[in-house]
Amino acid sequence: MGAYVNSSEVIACTNRDHAERAFEQIIGGSSALEAVLEQVECVAPTDSTVLILGETGTGKELIAHAIHNASLRCGRALIKLNCAAIPLDLLESELFGHEKGAFTGAIAQKIGRFEMADGGTLFLDEVGDIPPSLQPKLLRVLQEQTFERLGSGRTHKVDVRLVAATNRNLEEMVTRNEFRNDLYYRLNVFPLSLPALRERREDIPALLEHFVEIFSRRTGRQIHHIPPETVAAFSSYSWPGNIRELQNLVERAVVLAKDGVLPNPLRPSPIQSPIPAVPPPSVVPSDPVAEDSNPAVPMTLRDSERALILYALQASGWKIGGPKGAAVKLGLNRTTLMHRLKKLGIERPSRGADSLEEVSTPEQTGSSARL
C-alpha cells in the first residue's frame, strides 16, 4: 500500500490538491478500508495524536501520509523515523539532537527529529521499540512540547503533531512493565486499527493491477494478460506479510512473465484456496448462457475478474450467500459481491431462477434479471 523507508524523509505537500492525490494512492474500496479512511478524515484536521495499529505490511506509513496531507499542516514538513531501525544508544540523539562534544563522536551539533518537525508532523514508526529509559523524555515532549538536546541545558519549545505506529500490542507491554502506561495513554488518543489484507480480500484484484502497472514500467515488461487462476490464487492466499508481501510477489511475477502473461508466483497449498480450480480463460464464456465460439484472446484484469466471478457463480448454482454460495468461494462478503456484479454487468440467466438472492421486480423484462 506504499513504499516503506527507514530513517528520515521530509515530505512537504504544497496544497489541498496534493492531499487529495495522496488519498488516491490508497488502493481499495472494501468496507474495512473505507471505515479506516472515514476515521482519517475525522481526525486529520485536528492536532490530536494518532496511534496507527496493525500487522507488518498493512500500510501504516501510507495512512500517516494521508493524515498529514489532509491536515492543516500539509504545507509543512512530515518527518519520519523508524524507531526499530536506529541503535538504542543513538535513538535519543535522533529524536532530540545533541550538541558538539555531548558524547564521544559528537563532532558537530545535530538537530533532532522533533526540532525538524516543528510546525509540522512527526511520524514515529515502530514506537513500541522505544526503550523504557527513553520513554519519560518522549512523554515530556508530548505533554509539554519542550525538550533539551543532549549536552545542552537549553530548553527548546516546539509545535509538533505526532502520528505513531506499531505492530506490537502496547497494552500487553504495559502489563509486562515494558512500556509506560502514562505514555501509552498519551499515544492512544485516537487509535486507528488497519485491517490485514486477508480481511479485505475484495481489494486484492485492484492492488494486483496497481502493482502490475508499477513493476511493468520499472522492468520494461508489458503484461497483457492476468489469468483468472492467478487472480484466484492471489485472492485466496492468507497473506501473512500483507500488502508488502503482495507487492514483492507481484514484482517477482512480472520479472518471471513470458509473452505478456502474468504467472502465479504462489506455491500451491492444499489449504491455500477455498476456490475450485478455475478453467482456462477460453473455457469460461463471457456469456454465461452460451459458449463463445471465438478463440480465447488475452483478457484485461476486468475480464479476468468477470470470468472468475462467473465461474464461482456457476459452481455454486448461482447462489450468492450461504456457506456454499459464490461469496464464500471468492472470499468476499455478500454485499461486496453484489456490488461487483452490478459494476461488471453480470446477469443471472433465466435457467438459474432458483437463486435465493434474486427478487424480480415489475420493471424487469426478458429472460434475465440483474443481480
Side-chain angles (χ1 to χ4, degrees), residues 314-329:
Q314 293 165 350
S316 62
W318 287 85
K319 286 182 171 57
I320 296 177
K324 296 184 180 179
V328 172
K329 294 179 182 296

Side-chain angles (χ1 to χ4, degrees), residues 7 101 105 117 170 328 335:
S7 296
L170 295 185
V328 172
T335 55

Side-chain angles (χ1 to χ4, degrees), residues 6 10 29 79 98 128 148 168 183 198 217 219 222 330:
N6 293 329
V10 180
I79 305 298
H98 65 252
E148 291 86 29
R168 305 179 69 176
L183 177 58
R198 60 183 173 275
R217 291 195 302 268
T219 62
Q222 295 299 317
L330 292 166

Side-chain angles (χ1 to χ4, degrees), residues 289-302:
V289 179
E291 292 283 350
D292 189 349
S293 58
N294 295 328
V297 295
M299 296 191 297
T300 64
L301 180 59
R302 178 185 175 90

Side-chain angles (χ1 to χ4, degrees), residues 51-53 82-84 88 91 124-132 135 138 164-170 173 176 178-180 183 187:
L51 179 61
I52 306 174
L53 307 168
N82 187 328
C83 300
L88 297 182
L91 185 55
L124 294 183
D125 199 5
E126 306 297 349
V127 71
D129 287 74
I130 293 180
Q135 292 174 19
L138 178 59
T166 183
N167 62 1
R168 305 179 69 176
N169 190 322
L170 295 185
M173 294 180 65
R176 297 194 301 266
E178 296 174 357
F179 202 86
R180 290 178 62 104
L183 177 58
L187 292 172

